[in-house]
Amino acid sequence: MMNGLLNLGKYLFAVPFAVFGIFHFAATDALSGMAPGGAPVVYLTGLCLIAASVSMLIGKYDKLAATLLGIMLLLFALILHASSAMAGDATNFLKDLSLAGAAWMYAGNLAKDKSIIN
């Protein structure tokens, strides 16, 4: 029973990134104001989020995907949320930091495809 619960963690981690990616396509105008580079960057990050999710779910290039996802999330924390954290609202900054850490834990411990990154 416990292993079944622990195995669910992969899906609870990966699936929301696909949803976040879809949100990037559905709410491009709203997100464009926050993203340096506007709509093209929003579309690119949405595509990257979906690709990372799919990669982790199917286990193909998942170590590479989780590593790159962690880098992207760290950049989100530093570029998009550090200023609001300094102003007293650290919620999104801490969320992205923790998700970056989780992505790297996935890459280090759960990833199956180590063909590109050992």
Side-chain angles (χ1 to χ4, degrees), residues 18-99:
V19 175
F20 294 151
I22 292 166
F23 287 168
H24 278 66
F25 287 95
T28 304
D29 291 338
L31 296 172
S32 292
M34 294 189 311
V41 171
V42 173
Y43 287 128
L44 178 62
T45 55
L47 182 63
C48 290
L49 290 166
I50 293 168
S53 177
V54 169
S55 182
M56 289 184 289
L57 290 171
I58 67 173
K60 187 72 174 162
Y61 302 121
D62 58 342
K63 186 167 188 170
L64 175 64
T67 301
L68 293 174
L69 177 64
I71 292 168
M72 186 170 74
L73 290 164
L74 180 61
L75 289 172
F76 286 174
L78 296 174
I79 294 169
L80 301 176
H81 304 304
S83 61
S84 61
M86 298 297 273
D89 181 9
T91 304
N92 286 320
F93 178 77
L94 294 172
K95 174 199 58 129
D96 283 346
L97 279 183
S98 66
L99 288 171

